[in-house]
């Protein structure tokens, strides 16, 4: 009986981290149901709004029932950890929370895992060809394991240290490396890889010390980029306890390998806890874990059982240690990105063939561009290279199969003659579907540096104010025309940020349309082309992208409605993001990771940053200084910024900042628009918005109301249900009499406190402590400010599609791109 004899009761059911393997349970007669205590790590965040008839005060409290919290770390380790070790453990806790955002890991049997990894047929053939081949080896290993487990005066399994288990496992590997029985397939060598003990050797770049690492034979391992497979060993413990304590460490190893090896399809980690050996596979959608078997035994009475178990353990271990790189974890048969490669773009999926020299290759001089990589979700790798003699950026992106490929977006934009786009030399798919994710490639023209870096460089090098103003005017007008033309093609960018507005000094480009969405279903011709070239149903992808509206973009440059998670995006969100990009390029704020000197760019969570910006932008005199911009007197630059502010946040003389915390349809104001866009752009924008509004207002077809015309049906055309009803009187009268509209700052501050006026039904102000907004959400105490009136839960009035503990209150790196898949079904679920 093998360890694959007992499948979960249902296709999606998993015993998670409980109990022994089925072989142990059935042969030893010791079946017991394991405890199911692995947390889902979804923090429960409650935000209440306390108000009377005049104003709102936001109080935030946080409760989290999770093992991976600072308080639980304190309970587990006490004062035994140094500050550096404490920081490392906190980091690993956050990794586990990110890993579990889409759901817990799934336990499946080894054959099912091989099938999920695309190795099912090869594994079945291997089983048929090696029947009975491992019986003799199992008997030899049993003798070795008996010696290992009984040395040092017969230590019990509870008293064996990690090093003892590692030594025992090394004996098993040594036996495997010299074993060559008859009947094995010719391509299965004794081993493709050599192991190295790293318990006392730190590997660059992060000084990690895995117990054993596997690398190609004759490779000197000093860096994680040389590692194919890792084994981590722990003392004897129950499975649920082992994963609860050490999953973060395994995920840390996986993320490091994923970061330094861009050709990874998945990351396998061997986990030896006591006698039990598991294989944990980290994919872009989550992780699987499976029991390989037992490697040691303690009691001689277990010898007969162990021989059977060891046979299956050795057989499965042999299988994964003899697979080539391109079949077990990698896209190509190499641990690293080659310097030169041939890119086959004529087939779907395409292929990337490493070449030893640049002769005859498409991509030459490939060099990595550093970019942050996440343990799950969308993952992008960038490379500088030469392609057919041109300087290019080679881009590889893993994303869910139900999301819109960037290459498909560029095709729509090209068909619509959208200007200021980089040239796309090649695009396509390298991996069509692996555990619910595809790998897309782009070869795109290299366009220069970001507009923010360019303007900062101009100012640093002493450029005249008129030269900076000309650059800003060129930027705003070019980007506005691109965004308006894209809207005419029914495309929203959704990530307007400094890194995506690029200039070579003469032209301005809008790049990185990987987070874009189609606002309406594509035409029949476009849909057929997408299905043929990209292999997906366009209507399903368009709807899924619309669901991601509240979670897509770069936080620091998100519009106020997006920060509030309003589930409908518009061109005004794009223009507002452009406004923040221009402000940042002119800002003198300290960019040391804290940004505490500019309120508008401070490290608040999303909702608090939105509230602060509402207050700042209502102040005519000081809004620029609150963003770190030192413009005071009249100037062309100030005219551009004032025009963008008035266009976005005013209707006539009425400040509408307060309305933006709920769905609010902003209108095009033409009086100041031509200060930062061309008249032709304004006309295009006005005409396109009018056409889209008319299309959204069309009634459903009387023939079949359930299947509206794809060419005219808008996605998410209905506004969100109301949250807080805020009347148009958005600015309180300073005298407090009536509800008259005056030009009063919504935010004023001195020292560490400021006043934030958030009017609802009348006039009032409340004093909020700046520090309380800046602290991470789980450290915030409920505000001591209290007003009479009932408490209203935001969960009762917000978007019903938002999950409990959604990203509204999760603190992120504000300069980091968000593309949250936490509300989706975990993509590592098995397909049946």
């Amino acid at each position: 009986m093998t360890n694959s004899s007992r499948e979960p009761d249902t296709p999606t059911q998993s015993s998670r981290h409980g109990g022994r393997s089925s072989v142990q349970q059935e042969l030893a007669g010791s079946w017991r149901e394991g405890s199911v205590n692995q947390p889902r790590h979804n923090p429960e965040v409650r935000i209440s709004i306390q108000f009377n008839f005049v104003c709102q005060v936001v109080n935030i409290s946080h409760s989290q029932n999770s093992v991976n919290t600072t308080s639980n770390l304190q309970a587990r380790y006490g004062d035994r950890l140094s500050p550096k070790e404490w920081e490392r453990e906190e980091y690993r806790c956050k990794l586990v929370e990110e890993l579990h955002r889409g759901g817990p890991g799934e336990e499946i049997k080894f054959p099912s895992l091989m099938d999920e990894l695309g190795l099912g047929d090869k594994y079945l053939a291997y089983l048929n060809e090696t029947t009975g081949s491992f019986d003799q080896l199992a008997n030899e290993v049993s003798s070795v394991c008996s010696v290992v487990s009984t040395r040092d005066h017969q230590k019990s399994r509870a008293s064996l240290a990690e090093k003892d288990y590692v030594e025992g496992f090394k004996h098993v590997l040594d036996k495997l490396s010299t074993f060559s029985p008859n009947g094995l397939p010719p391509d299965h060598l004794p081993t493709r890889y050599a192991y190295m003990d790293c318990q006392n050797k730190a590997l660059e770049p992060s000084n990690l010390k895995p117990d054993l690492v596997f690398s190609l034979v004759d490779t000197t391992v000093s860096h994680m980029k040389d590692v194919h497979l890792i084994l981590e060993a722990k003392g004897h413990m129950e499975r649920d306890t082992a994963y609860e304590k050490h999953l973060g460490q395994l995920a840390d190893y996986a993320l490091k390998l994923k970061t330094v090896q861009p050709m990874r399809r998945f990351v396998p980690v061997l986990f030896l806890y006591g006698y039990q050996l598991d294989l944990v596979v980290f994919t872009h959608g989550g992780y699987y874990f499976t029991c390989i078997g037992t490697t040691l035994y303690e009691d001689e009475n277990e010898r007969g059982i162990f021989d059977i178990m060891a046979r299956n353990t050795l057989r499965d271990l042999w299988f994964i240690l003899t697979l080539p790189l391109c079949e077990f974890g990698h896209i190509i048969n190499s641990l690293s990105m080659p310097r030169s490669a041939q890119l086959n773009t004529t087939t779907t999926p395409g292929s990337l063939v490493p070449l030893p020299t640049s002769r005859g290759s498409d991509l030459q001089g490939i060099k990595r561009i550093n970019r942050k990589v996440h343990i799950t979700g969308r993952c992008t790798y960038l490379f500088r290279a030469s392609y057919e003699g041109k300087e290019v950026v080679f881009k590889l992106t893993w994303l869910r199969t139900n999301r819109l490929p960037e290459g498909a977006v560029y095709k729509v934009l090209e068909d619509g003659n959208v200007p200021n786009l980089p040239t796309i030399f090649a695009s396509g798919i390298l991996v069509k579907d692996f555990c619910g994710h595809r790998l897309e490639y782009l070869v795109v023209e290299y366009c220069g540096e970001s507009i923010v870096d360019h303007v900062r460089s101009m100012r640093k090098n002493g450029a005249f104010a008129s030269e900076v103003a000309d650059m800003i005017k060129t930027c705003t007008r070019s980007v506005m025309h691109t965004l308006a033309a894209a809207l005419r093609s029914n495309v929203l960018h959704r990530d307007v940020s400094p890194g995506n507005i690029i200039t070579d000094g003469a032209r301005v480009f809008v790049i990185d349309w990987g987070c874009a969405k189609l606002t309406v279903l594509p035409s029949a011709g476009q849909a057929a082309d997408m299905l043929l070239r990209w292999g997906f149903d366009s209507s399903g992808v368009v709807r899924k992208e619309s669901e991601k509206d509240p979670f897509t973009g770069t936080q620091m440059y998100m519009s106020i409605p997006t920060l509030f998670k309003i589930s409908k995006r518009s061109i005004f969100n794009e223009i507002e993001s452009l406004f923040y990009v221009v402000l940042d390029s002119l800002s003198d704020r300290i960019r040391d990771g804290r940004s505490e000197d500019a309120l508008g760019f401070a490290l608040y969570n999303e909702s608090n940053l939105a509230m602060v910006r509402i207050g700042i932008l209502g102040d005519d005199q000081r809004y620029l200084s609150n963003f770190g911009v030192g413009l005071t007197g009249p100037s062309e630059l100030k005219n551009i910024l004032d025009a963008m502010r008035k266009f976005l946040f005013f209707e006539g003389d009425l400040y509408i900042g307060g309305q933006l915390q709920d769905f609010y349809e902003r209108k095009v104001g033409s009086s100041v628009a031509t200060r930062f866009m061309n008249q032709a752009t304004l006309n295009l924008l006005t005409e396109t918005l009018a056409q889209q509004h008319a299309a959204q207002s069309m009634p459903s077809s009387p023939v079949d109301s359930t299947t509206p015309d794809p060419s005219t049906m808008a996605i998410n055309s209905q506004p969100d249900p109301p949250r807080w009803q805020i009347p148009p009187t958005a600015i309180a009268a300073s005298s407090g009499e009536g509800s008259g509209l005056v030009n009063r700052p919504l935010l004023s501050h001195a020292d560490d406190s400021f006043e934030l006026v958030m009017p609802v039904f009348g006039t009032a102000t409340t004093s909020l402590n700046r520090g309380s907004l800046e602290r991470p959400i789980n450290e915030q105490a409920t505000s001591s400010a209290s007003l009479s009136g009932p408490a209203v839960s935001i969960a009762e009035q917000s978007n019903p599609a938002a999950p409990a503990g959604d990203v509204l209150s999760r603190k992120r790196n504000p300069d980091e791109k968000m593309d949250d898949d936490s509300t989706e079904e975990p993509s590592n679920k098995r397909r049946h």
Side-chain angles (χ1 to χ4, degrees), residues 3 6-22 25 31-38 104-109 239-241 243 273 278 287 289-291 829-830:
N3 62 350
R6 197 174 194 276
E7 292 290 341
D9 296 333
T10 65
T12 59
Q13 182 180 352
S14 168
S15 61
R16 302 171 73 181
H17 304 318
R20 300 183 183 182
S21 70
S22 57
Q25 293 155 353
W31 172 266
R32 66 174 181 83
E33 191 65 35
S35 59
V36 185
N37 294 322
Q38 184 66 17
E106 183 178 2
E107 180 186 12
I108 57 178
K109 302 304 180 185
R239 170 178 267 190
D240 55 343
T241 303
Y243 280 89
Y273 49 99
D278 282 8
Y287 69 101
F289 58 98
T290 187
C291 171
K829 293 294 184 184
R830 283 174 290 154

Side-chain angles (χ1 to χ4, degrees), residues 244-361:
E244 181 181 296
K245 288 185 176 181
H246 304 297
L247 180 60
Q249 184 177 4
L250 305 183
D252 193 3
Y253 292 150
L255 181 57
K256 294 301 186 298
L257 286 177
K258 184 178 177 181
T259 299
V260 301
Q261 296 178 359
M263 292 291 99
R264 278 280 180 182
R265 188 189 304 260
F266 62 88
V267 180
V269 178
L270 291 171
F271 184 31
L272 179 65
Y273 49 99
Y275 297 0
Q276 187 76 23
L277 179 65
D278 282 8
L279 172 63
V280 187
V281 172
F282 294 88
T283 70
H284 293 280
Y287 69 101
Y288 300 98
F289 58 98
T290 187
C291 171
I292 295 181
T294 298
T295 57
L296 299 175
Y297 68 95
E298 179 180 15
D299 191 337
E300 188 64 29
N301 294 328
E302 296 180 0
R303 174 67 180 270
I305 299 173
F306 180 78
D307 285 349
I308 300 174
M309 295 171 60
R311 178 192 65 196
N312 299 329
T313 301
L314 296 170
R315 180 198 65 203
D316 292 345
L317 187 59
W318 177 283
F319 179 72
I320 64 176
L321 290 179
T322 54
L323 290 170
L325 293 173
C326 59
E327 293 184 8
F328 196 64
H330 302 263
I331 302 166
I332 59 178
N333 208 30
S334 172
L335 288 172
S336 59
M337 185 71 184
R339 293 285 294 171
S340 301
Q342 185 73 34
L343 183 62
N344 184 359
T345 62
T346 60
T347 60
T348 301
S351 60
L352 187 72
V353 182
L355 296 178
T357 65
S358 61
R359 183 177 301 174
S361 62

Side-chain angles (χ1 to χ4, degrees), residues 146-163:
S146 175
V147 172
V148 171
S149 63
T150 56
R151 76 180 192 275
D152 297 334
H153 307 291
Q154 274 194 319
K155 285 186 177 180
S156 67
R157 71 180 72 187
S159 61
L160 283 172
E162 292 178 15
K163 63 179 182 180

Side-chain angles (χ1 to χ4, degrees), residues 752-774:
D752 288 330
S753 298
F754 56 86
E755 286 188 334
L756 181 62
V757 181
M758 295 290 290
V760 179
F761 300 112
T763 62
T765 63
T766 182
S767 178
L768 298 179
N769 182 271
R770 175 179 177 182
S772 66
L773 289 179
E774 289 187 270

